[in-house]
Amino acid sequence: MGLKKTHQNTIFLILFTAFGALLASCGKSGASGELVGAGAKNFKSNEVPYGMVYIPGGSFIMGQTDQDVLFGQAAQNKEVTVSPFFMDETEITNSEYRQFVNWVRDSTLINKLGKDEQKKFRVINKKDSLAKTSIDWRKVGVNGVNLWKSGSKLKTFEKVKLDLSHNDLGEYTLDDRKFTYGYTIFDAEKAAAERDKRDKNNIQNADRTKQVFRDTVGVYPDTLVWKAHLFKRSHNEPMIYGYFSHPAYNNYPVVGISWRQARAFSVWRGKVNDSYRAAKKLPKRMPYSLPTEAEFEYAARGGRVGTTYPWGGPYPRNAKGCLMANFKPARGRFADDGATFTVNVKSYFPNDFGLFNMAGNVAEWTNDAYNVSAYNITNTLNPVINNADEKRKVVRGGSWNDNGYFLQNSVRNYEIKDEQTAYIGFRCVTPYIGRDIKDK
C-alpha cells in the first residue's frame, strides 16, 4: 500500500515537472535562457492618423535669405534638421473645434448632474469617435424652446450652477464662460533646466513642482472678432451670427481662438485618443501639439529647396495669372482671389506634401515663443523656443487679411497668446515614431 502511494507521488512529480518545463519553453520571456526583450504589442508605424499626412524628416535652410520689408534686421537664416512627423492636412475647422466645445459642454454638465438627472439627459453617442457619452439636448430643449418653459429642467441648470445669461448674440442661454477645459502636461523645458541646476549645484532633489504646466481655459471662440480691432467699422454682423455655428461654415477654418485655446484643443485631442486606444488595448500615439516654427516652415516648403511660397513659385500668381492662395492683394482687393473672407479648408491646390493652405486663408499659431534672435540661440536639431513666460507666440503662413509678403514660407510674425482674431487659426502635429514610414 505504501509502495503504491509512493509510486503515485512519483508520477505526479514527473508530470508536474514536465508541465512546468512545457510552460517555460512556450513563453518568449527568457526562452533558452537568452535575452529576448520584454513582451510588447506590435505597433503599426505606418498608420497615419485620420485627417493627417506624413511629413518625412529632413534638413533645410530655415528663414529669410533676401527680403526684410519691415526693416527689422531680422532676416536671419539657419540650416536645421526636423524629425518626421504627422500634420493635419488642413486647418482645424469649425466642425472639428465644435466637437471639442460640445465635449467640454456635455462633460461639464454630466459631471455636475446627479445620477437621476444623468439618466434623463445622458445619451450614448456612437457617431462621435471622441466622445462615448454626451447630452441629448432634445430632452433638455433646443434653441430655448422647451428648456426655459419647463420649471423642472430650469431648476436642473440652477442646481449645477451653470448660469443663464445673454451671449454675444444677445440670446438668453447657458453662460459659455462656465465651460472650461483644465489640463496638466509635463514641461520638459523646465524639467531639463531643473536637472542642470541640480547637477551644477550638487542638489540631490530637484523641485518637481516646476516641471508641470497647468492651465484652465474657456473653450468657446470669440465671435465678436469680426467686429473688433481692425473691423470696427465693417458690416460683419452675418459673420458674428453664423460663422462658428452655421453648417454652411462647417469646413471653414475656426477663428477667434487664442494660442492657449489652440494648445488646450491639441492636449484634449491626444487625451481622448489615448483613452480610446487604451480601451482597445492599442499602444498610444505620441502627444498632439501645435507645430514648432521649424516644423511649420519645413512642411510649408513641401520638400522644395529655396522656394518663396508653398506652391513653389516666386510669385503669388501662376502662369495663367490666377492667385494661388486666399489673401489681400494690392491694398484691399479682397475678392480678387475668389473670397472676401475665409474659404473652405480644401480650397486651392495642396503643396507637395499634400497640405492645404499653408499660406493664406488663416495665419496659424505655432508652439514657439517669439524671439527676434531665435535662429541664433536655438538648436540645429528640431529647434524650438518653449518659454511659458513669453506672451508673444509665433504666427506663420499669412491670412486672408494679409498682403502677399506674409504668405512667404520664411516670414515670421507674432501675436499675444491670449489674443483672439478673425484671421488666426491653427492645425496640429504629432511625432512619427521611427526613422521613416517606409521602414518595416
Side-chain angles (χ1 to χ4, degrees):
M1 190 73 178
L3 290 174
K4 186 176 182 181
K5 186 174 182 179
T6 302
H7 181 66
Q8 289 176 341
N9 290 341
T10 303
I11 294 175
F12 176 79
L13 181 60
I14 293 172
L15 290 174
F16 181 82
T17 304
F19 182 69
L22 180 63
L23 288 177
S25 64
C26 290
K28 291 184 178 180
S29 179
S32 303
E34 301 294 341
L35 181 67
V36 297
K41 288 184 175 295
N42 291 328
F43 180 74
K44 295 181 179 179
S45 60
N46 61 349
E47 177 188 10
V48 180
Y50 180 77
M52 289 188 152
V53 297
Y54 171 72
I55 310 296
S59 301
F60 74 109
I61 303 296
M62 180 179 177
Q64 293 174 264
T65 56
D66 45 25
Q67 299 184 65
D68 183 20
V69 299
L70 298 182
F71 301 102
Q73 287 77 49
Q76 308 165 33
N77 59 79
K78 182 177 187 176
E79 186 171 20
V80 301
T81 299
V82 175
S83 299
F85 59 97
F86 296 109
M87 189 178 214
D88 280 324
E89 181 182 27
T90 68
E91 299 135 338
I92 295 298
T93 65
N94 284 315
S95 176
E96 290 169 332
Y97 193 81
R98 279 205 306 271
Q99 192 171 359
F100 172 47
V101 169
N102 292 346
W103 187 93
V104 172
R105 178 199 64 189
D106 292 358
S107 297
T108 301
L109 190 55
I110 287 172
N111 290 335
K112 290 190 176 185
L113 288 174
K115 291 184 179 180
D116 293 337
E117 287 87 354
Q118 282 188 14
K119 291 179 181 179
K120 291 180 184 178
F121 304 136
R122 197 169 185 175
V123 62
I124 302 298
N125 194 341
K126 295 181 180 180
K127 294 182 179 180
D128 189 347
S129 61
L130 293 181
K132 293 183 178 180
T133 60
S134 59
I135 296 294
D136 187 350
W137 289 94
R138 292 172 298 179
K139 297 179 181 179
V140 180
V142 179
N143 296 329
V145 176
N146 298 319
L147 177 60
W148 320 127
K149 294 181 180 179
S150 172
S152 61
K153 291 172 183 175
L154 190 60
K155 289 179 181 178
T156 295
F157 288 93
E158 290 175 347
K159 177 180 178 180
V160 296
K161 297 180 180 179
L162 292 176
D163 299 337
L164 303 174
S165 66
H166 289 87
N167 63 12
D168 290 345
L169 304 181
E171 299 168 335
Y172 192 54
T173 183
L174 293 173
D175 188 347
D176 55 24
R177 293 170 298 184
K178 298 291 182 180
F179 297 100
T180 60
Y181 182 72
Y183 63 94
T184 300
I185 58 175
F186 174 64
D187 192 328
E189 196 77 23
K190 287 189 175 181
E194 283 295 308
R195 180 189 181 282
D196 292 342
K197 180 180 177 181
R198 178 194 65 195
D199 292 346
K200 182 178 180 180
N201 300 317
N202 195 26
I203 300 173
Q204 295 300 318
N205 296 312
D207 185 359
R208 294 187 176 275
T209 60
K210 295 181 179 180
Q211 301 177 14
V212 176
F213 177 85
R214 295 181 175 85
D215 196 13
T216 299
V217 61
V219 298
Y220 278 84
D222 182 1
T223 57
L224 288 176
V225 293
W226 296 103
K227 200 67 176 173
H229 302 304
L230 302 177
F231 310 108
K232 288 182 179 179
R233 294 177 177 85
S234 296
H235 179 64
N236 292 341
E237 279 78 357
M239 303 297 282
I240 296 175
Y241 298 145
Y243 185 75
F244 179 63
S245 58
H246 198 283
Y249 292 107
N250 274 349
N251 294 319
Y252 284 57
V254 66
V255 296
I257 302 299
S258 68
W259 180 88
R260 291 176 60 213
Q261 288 176 309
R263 190 182 196 192
F265 174 94
S266 65
V267 172
W268 163 82
R269 182 178 180 179
K271 297 291 186 184
V272 177
N273 188 267
D274 285 349
S275 297
Y276 170 81
R277 297 181 74 85
K280 297 291 183 179
K281 297 183 178 180
L282 297 171
K284 294 181 180 179
R285 291 199 185 108
M286 292 290 100
Y288 288 82
S289 66
L290 296 175
T292 66
E293 185 179 5
E295 286 174 333
F296 190 94
E297 182 175 334
Y298 177 73
R301 292 183 179 278
R304 295 173 181 252
V305 178
T307 54
T308 305
Y309 298 100
W311 45 88
Y315 307 109
R317 296 179 185 268
N318 62 14
K320 296 182 178 179
C322 298
L323 290 169
M324 300 295 288
N326 179 22
F327 66 108
K328 182 173 67 175
R331 294 187 177 182
R333 298 177 62 87
F334 289 95
D336 279 10
D337 53 31
T340 53
F341 295 108
T342 57
V343 293
N344 187 299
V345 294
K346 284 196 173 181
S347 300
Y348 304 98
F349 292 105
N351 71 358
D352 288 353
F353 282 152
L355 300 167
F356 289 86
N357 293 299
M358 290 299 285
N361 209 21
V362 291
E364 300 180 33
W365 292 112
T366 71
N367 186 67
D368 289 55
Y370 181 79
N371 187 310
V372 69
S373 302
Y375 299 164
N376 295 327
I377 62 177
T378 52
N379 204 300
T380 54
L381 176 61
N382 296 319
V384 66
I385 294 184
N386 287 319
N387 184 355
D389 298 325
E390 175 57 66
K391 295 181 179 181
R392 297 173 300 174
K393 302 299 179 182
V394 176
V395 174
R396 284 289 197 136
S399 76
W400 63 271
N401 193 50
D402 290 316
N403 62 43
Y405 170 76
F406 290 97
L407 271 62
Q408 295 180 74
N409 295 324
S410 60
V411 173
R412 57 203 305 258
N413 204 351
Y414 70 85
E415 187 55 84
I416 305 303
K417 66 180 181 180
D418 286 315
E419 193 66 45
Q420 296 161 298
T421 74
Y423 44 85
I424 298 179
F426 69 101
R427 72 181 78 203
C428 299
V429 297
T430 184
Y432 171 78
I433 307 173
R435 188 192 74 87
D436 188 271
I437 199 169
K438 296 177 183 178
D439 293 344
K440 298 296 182 181

